[in-house]
Amino acid sequence: MAPVTTTQRTVLAGARVVLPTGVVEGGRIAVEGSRITADTGPLPDDVVVGLAAGHTVVPGFVDIHNHGGGGASFTSGTAEEVLTGARTHREHGTTTLVASTVTETMDALVRQAGLLSEIVEQGDLAGIHYEGPFISPCRKGAHDEGLLRHPDPADVRKLVEAARGTAKMVTLAAELPGGIDSVRMLADLGVIAAIGHTDATYEQTVEAIEAGATVATHLFNAMPPLGHRAPGPIAALLEDERVTVELINDGTHLHPSVLELAFGTAGAGRVAFITDAMDAAGFGDGLYDLGPLKVEVLEGVARLVEGGSIAGSTLTMDTAFKRAVTLDGISLVDTVRAVSTNPARLIGLGDQVGSLEPGKYADLVVLDEAYDVVAVMRHGDWIIPPSS
């Protein structure tokens, strides 16, 4: 559906509005051009969009770990396919999206980084996240073991430079040779060093955090479980206030009690919901490629054809939001922090998106009483108008 451009000041009125300071019943959001503007009261040329009672307006979702959707891959797709994937997630409320790759050859990743960086530069993506190849073969998940390599700083820098200033995050196993040096280098370059697909001990993870790692890639998944004598990376990542933990809230990757444990331990200010979506998100069951590996999606769960490992997800962020509020007992304000505010801050866009405040982009999602998406606005344009 083509966006519908707003040409005057548009005021959304009558809905519950979730602001950083709390929930406002019967609130109003004023939009002028691409930005939220201060609500100065009714103006003669206002276009007022009355929202039904029971509807809720939240900031557009920010997904910092996403491999594709709509049948398209961010790792191997053409520009047109990448845009299809971005558009699919946009229609589910994700107005800011970082494209994640999976393990491939260095040459293939360099080529794809060139393509993705152009799409970032034109404003359709918010950056690039490299998940692999610098990860542990012991915790490879849905990555091709034959293409994994140690995080040599020269190789890590090569991928960062291939992104031409658009690299936002690199996931690596810091316990591997070169890992700590690469974490330091990434921190110096202003790129997030994320700990994931790792077999690190507690002590090795603490060392990585001290070196500058600030994100836990899909906490609990693809790392040693929490042990009472050998706490491993989970305890180190949860306890340090400098670390934001990614959580996949799809009901498959994490048991609800584990989600509650992470949220309660880290606190709402340190959680970022992600989708870790692959091609099948918003597309359906079937056979797919995830980099060089084959994936079968059955009843919405993606697994490798060989070995059966969970291979990303088919999650969209609106589903993660709805689960949090309706099943997990997380408040609207804290859920918004996890799906919008915290990830926006992480990737350096907290002054532009992530909350409904004057001066920020008019990125917002309208939800009905069941917390299903009924409208999406991005940069002041309706991706899905309220009347559709």
Side-chain angles (χ1 to χ4, degrees):
M1 180 180 296
V4 179
T5 303
T6 58
T7 56
Q8 300 168 291
R9 193 177 88 140
T10 298
V11 179
L12 282 70
R16 177 189 302 116
V17 178
V18 183
L19 302 175
T21 53
V23 178
V24 177
E25 299 290 344
R28 291 161 52 95
I29 296 289
V31 175
E32 192 167 346
S34 63
R35 303 278 180 168
I36 298 171
T37 187
D39 186 0
T40 56
L43 299 176
D45 60 348
D46 277 355
V47 176
V48 178
V49 178
L51 299 174
H55 281 32
T56 301
V57 182
V58 298
F61 308 140
V62 180
D63 192 356
I64 60 172
H65 187 155
N66 186 314
H67 299 280
S73 166
F74 295 148
T75 297
S76 57
T78 64
E80 182 178 354
E81 289 168 339
V82 170
L83 291 172
T84 294
R87 184 166 56 249
T88 297
H89 286 281
R90 200 170 288 169
E91 291 171 352
H92 288 271
T94 297
T95 51
T96 301
L97 186 147
V98 173
S100 301
T101 62
V102 295
T103 296
E104 263 286 6
T105 66
M106 288 290 289
D107 287 345
L109 289 170
V110 167
R111 286 195 301 272
Q112 193 66 6
L115 181 149
L116 292 173
S117 64
E118 291 181 1
I119 299 174
V120 175
E121 289 160 2
Q122 71 189 31
D124 288 299
L125 293 173
I128 299 172
H129 161 222
Y130 294 107
E131 187 183 24
F134 312 115
I135 60 177
S136 171
C138 302
R139 304 288 174 177
K140 64 183 185 298
H143 291 255
D144 187 338
E145 184 171 352
L147 296 176
L148 300 182
R149 57 175 59 214
H150 293 158
D152 180 273
D155 287 341
V156 177
R157 181 183 286 272
K158 181 178 180 179
L159 291 187
V160 171
E161 290 178 348
R164 303 202 306 257
T166 68
K168 292 293 185 181
M169 182 162 62
V170 178
T171 292
L172 50 78
E175 76 276 11
L176 296 176
I180 296 298
D181 287 340
S182 288
V183 168
R184 290 196 185 97
M185 181 190 69
L186 288 168
D188 289 343
L189 293 174
V191 177
I192 295 167
I195 302 303
H197 288 275
T198 177
D199 206 38
T201 64
Y202 173 88
E203 291 77 14
Q204 288 168 328
T205 308
V206 168
E207 184 182 6
I209 296 168
E210 290 298 329
T214 56
V215 168
T217 292
H218 45 52
L219 187 72
F220 299 103
N221 298 114
M223 59 183 63
L226 184 66
H228 64 290
R229 292 192 181 93
I234 293 172
L237 294 164
L238 274 176
E239 71 185 10
D240 198 299
E241 294 184 354
R242 294 169 291 184
V243 176
T244 296
V245 298
E246 294 181 348
L247 300 175
I248 308 172
N249 191 24
D250 62 352
T252 298
H253 281 78
L254 298 175
H255 189 279
S257 66
V258 174
L259 180 82
E260 182 179 3
L261 171 68
F263 227 102
T265 304
R270 291 178 46 218
V271 170
F273 282 166
I274 59 166
T275 62
D276 196 15
M278 46 84 70
D279 310 19
F283 204 66
D285 288 357
L287 292 173
Y288 295 86
D289 293 325
L290 186 62
L293 302 179
K294 295 293 183 183
V295 173
E296 182 179 20
V297 178
L298 185 62
E299 296 182 352
V301 178
R303 294 185 180 275
L304 290 183
V305 171
E306 293 188 12
S309 175
I310 292 177
S313 83
T314 62
L315 185 65
T316 51
M317 198 65 89
D318 55 336
T319 299
F321 186 103
K322 181 174 179 174
R323 284 188 61 86
V325 175
T326 63
L327 297 177
D328 302 320
I330 301 172
S331 72
L332 277 170
V333 171
D334 285 347
T335 301
V336 164
R337 294 177 76 180
V339 300
S340 301
T341 312
N342 296 340
R345 183 196 70 246
L346 265 179
I347 60 173
L349 295 178
D351 61 338
Q352 299 292 317
V353 297
S355 60
L356 299 176
E357 297 177 275
K360 295 190 178 184
Y361 280 115
D363 290 0
L364 55 87
V365 182
V366 183
L367 306 165
D368 64 15
E369 292 181 341
Y371 296 103
D372 292 320
V373 172
V374 295
V376 179
M377 175 182 281
R378 181 176 187 268
H379 289 21
D381 293 339
W382 287 114
I383 306 300
I384 301 177
S387 58
S388 65

